[in-house]
Amino acid sequence: MKIMEAYFQKDTHNLWAILFVALAISLGFIPKQNEFFQISSLFIPLFLLYVYVASQVKTKTEVVFWIGVAILVRFVLLFAFPNLSDDIYRFIWDGRLIVNDINPFEQLPSYYLNGSLQIPGINQALYNELNSPDYFTIYPPVAQTVFAGAINVAGDDIMISSIVMKSFLLACEIGSLVIIPKILSLLSLPIKNVLWYALNPLVIIEVMGNLHFEGAMVFFFVLAFYLLLKNKLAYAAIAMGLSIASKLLPLMLLPTLLNRLGFKRIFIFGLVTVATVGLLFAPLVSETFIHNFGNSLDLYFRKFEFNASIYYVVREIGTPLLGYNPIQQVGPLFSIFTVLYILGETFLRKGQTIQNWMTTTLFVFTFYLVFATTIHPWYLCMPVVMCLFTNYRYPILWSGLIMMTYVNYSGDIYHENLWMVLVEYLLVFAFMGWEVLAARD
């Protein structure tokens, strides 16, 4: 009887895995960005299956099996073109400039279409695919290096370039799935927590499907945390520098290490981190770069709007009162709020240890997102991985709801569905509040 029961459970186990792989691959290969019905029809059952599997797995053997499934899905998606995102065209643009010894931060894309410069692959057809042609590039050096490497390997073939870039992200994702269980073991947390990241549909689709470099940022970030736990300070700092050079956001987390490492050790850690970032940025740095990169960051806070929470409330109240959209003032003001919150977490939080650092980083990152004017789905990759090492799971719910924002692209003209945004944040904030209150009991 027990043999029959074990066989039945194994058979069901395999069926769930086949269904998971089929849904994830279909989501990565089939829908276009404007096909919300197809996206939601695949994503919703995939997300529900993910929650079921991640919560039901019990044994280490099952965890290893599902990590294998997660890697298999990521490998297959290596060959899917990023149908839900058009960022790849800016990656190609920047890469083609770099291989022709041109700093992509120096000029706006339109500068290269005036006819005086003939750069292979930089043409009107590619320019027409750019989603932000009126803005300077914002991608840090790790990403830029991968862009250039892809062009060197693939030449003019955009599909092969995509596969080369994704190969780097696949290596990063596998690295994360190796390191996360080691961290969980060091913290005496359940190893199965890794599945909340490994099988997360948003992470899989946005990193390996849509080619977003949050996968690299996450890998170097968890590597830095692991090395900190192992007391390998210099190596941890190098890893943190690489994470910052993949996406700039981990930079805001550095102050929260002050009381955890002490002044002397944080000085060494900060010095090595800054040196790593400096060396990586060095080939790109110039007076023009500093001006243009700073200008792009300033515009990010003052102009871009997508899927915001508190900002949208302020905008809806402030616009009728002022007669104009207050983002020019509110965006920078909210960034100041984030800085103040980081200082509070740095100097006021009690019982700070390396072991509970992820709880602090989760709160800081959440605060940043709550007050941000732009929150794209792939921004949730970091909170998802952070929550694995805490008692909080609201990023998991958020990662499911935020994918519904693809409804904004379903018409002929982009239009943000504020009802979807309202439902998203009502549910996320309610669950977040419940978890925070429960943690204080």
Side-chain angles (χ1 to χ4, degrees):
M1 187 68 181
K2 289 184 178 180
I3 295 175
M4 290 292 293
E5 183 179 353
Y7 178 80
F8 177 77
Q9 289 176 346
K10 180 181 179 181
D11 192 50
T12 304
H13 200 61
N14 291 337
L15 287 175
W16 286 136
I18 292 169
L19 180 59
F20 185 91
V21 171
L23 288 169
I25 290 174
S26 297
L27 184 57
F29 276 88
I30 298 174
K32 301 286 193 297
Q33 190 183 60
N34 62 347
E35 296 174 333
F36 178 68
F37 177 76
Q38 291 188 43
I39 294 171
S40 57
S41 296
L42 292 167
F43 181 82
I44 292 173
L46 178 62
F47 187 81
L48 293 174
L49 180 57
Y50 150 70
V51 172
Y52 174 77
V53 169
S55 59
Q56 292 299 312
V57 165
K58 294 180 175 62
T59 68
K60 185 176 180 180
T61 301
E62 290 177 312
V63 172
V64 172
F65 171 81
W66 281 104
I67 289 177
V69 171
I71 293 173
L72 172 63
V73 169
R74 284 166 167 82
F75 175 76
V76 176
L77 290 180
L78 194 68
F79 307 99
F81 193 77
N83 288 329
L84 303 184
S85 172
D86 50 13
D87 287 347
I88 184 174
Y89 298 107
R90 189 58 178 257
F91 302 167
I92 297 293
W93 184 278
D94 285 3
R96 288 177 178 176
L97 290 177
I98 293 172
V99 298
N100 285 281
D101 298 321
I102 298 173
N103 188 333
F105 294 92
E106 291 288 329
Q107 302 289 345
L108 290 170
S110 58
Y111 173 83
Y112 300 103
L113 299 180
N114 60 16
S116 62
L117 293 174
Q118 297 297 322
I119 304 170
I122 298 298
N123 51 47
Q124 188 68 50
L126 182 60
Y127 178 87
N128 292 340
E129 299 290 346
L130 302 181
N131 57 22
S132 299
D134 298 325
Y135 302 103
F136 293 100
T137 188
I138 58 170
Y139 300 105
V142 167
Q144 294 287 353
T145 301
V146 176
F147 303 162
I151 301 303
N152 276 322
V153 172
D156 293 335
D157 194 317
I158 292 180
M159 183 63 200
I160 300 299
S161 295
S162 170
I163 293 173
V164 173
M165 293 183 209
K166 284 188 176 185
S167 297
F168 171 75
L169 292 179
L170 176 62
C172 289
E173 286 285 271
I174 293 173
S176 294
L177 298 182
V178 170
I179 294 168
I180 290 170
K182 294 179 182 294
I183 298 174
L184 292 169
S185 179
L186 289 173
L187 298 177
S188 300
L189 292 170
I191 300 299
K192 73 172 190 174
N193 283 7
V194 65
L195 298 183
W196 289 114
Y197 182 85
L199 299 176
N200 188 283
L202 176 143
V203 172
I204 292 171
I205 294 302
E206 295 299 352
V207 175
M208 287 308 303
N210 296 337
L211 190 50
H212 290 298
F213 276 73
E214 270 67 16
M217 174 177 64
V218 164
F219 166 64
F220 291 120
F221 181 70
V222 295
L223 177 60
F225 184 43
Y226 173 70
L227 293 169
L228 281 172
L229 290 170
K230 299 292 286 186
N231 203 30
K232 297 180 179 180
L233 196 66
Y235 292 116
I238 293 171
M240 182 61 75
L242 287 165
S243 183
I244 293 168
S246 300
K247 288 275 188 173
L248 295 178
L249 289 173
L251 185 63
M252 69 180 175
L253 305 173
L254 292 183
T256 60
L257 284 170
L258 176 59
N259 288 333
R260 290 175 163 86
L261 296 179
F263 181 79
K264 181 179 179 180
R265 298 183 75 218
I266 193 62
F267 177 79
I268 296 171
F269 184 87
L271 190 64
V272 176
T273 300
V274 170
T276 301
V277 174
L279 285 172
L280 292 169
F281 268 98
L284 301 170
V285 171
S286 67
E287 184 177 344
T288 306
F289 160 81
I290 295 171
H291 176 268
N292 293 344
F293 195 70
N295 183 54
S296 294
L297 292 177
D298 184 60
L299 284 172
Y300 174 82
F301 289 107
R302 292 180 184 271
K303 189 168 184 178
F304 294 165
E305 301 175 326
F306 183 85
N307 191 41
S309 56
I310 291 177
Y311 163 69
Y312 278 176
V313 175
V314 173
R315 185 187 68 180
E316 292 304 306
I317 296 172
T319 300
L321 293 175
L322 299 173
Y324 59 88
N325 187 334
I327 189 172
Q328 292 273 341
Q329 295 78 33
V330 173
L333 179 63
F334 280 1
S335 65
I336 293 173
F337 288 171
T338 301
V339 171
L340 293 175
Y341 181 77
I342 292 170
L343 292 176
E345 284 286 348
T346 300
F347 296 106
L348 301 180
R349 179 172 288 276
K350 297 179 180 179
Q352 298 182 35
T353 65
I354 292 297
Q355 285 71 22
N356 64 22
W357 184 51
M358 280 295 176
T359 300
T360 299
T361 62
L362 176 60
F363 288 164
V364 167
F365 214 94
T366 299
F367 191 93
Y368 162 75
L369 291 177
V370 166
F371 281 92
T373 60
T374 301
I375 308 176
H376 290 294
W378 50 93
Y379 293 9
L380 268 293
C381 291
M382 277 289 270
V384 167
V385 79
M386 290 168 173
C387 82
L388 309 183
F389 313 107
T390 75
N391 294 321
Y392 300 97
R393 293 294 178 266
Y394 64 83
I396 304 301
L397 174 63
W398 201 351
S399 71
L401 294 170
I402 199 171
M403 288 294 283
M404 295 301 101
T405 58
Y406 277 98
V407 70
N408 300 337
Y409 304 99
S410 57
D412 294 333
I413 301 174
Y414 172 84
H415 176 72
E416 187 159 25
N417 188 322
L418 294 180
W419 287 109
M420 190 70 77
V421 175
L422 178 63
V423 171
E424 173 191 347
Y425 286 109
L426 283 177
L427 293 174
V428 169
F429 288 162
F431 189 50
M432 185 191 307
W434 177 78
E435 285 200 311
V436 170
L437 291 174
R440 292 179 178 177
D441 291 341

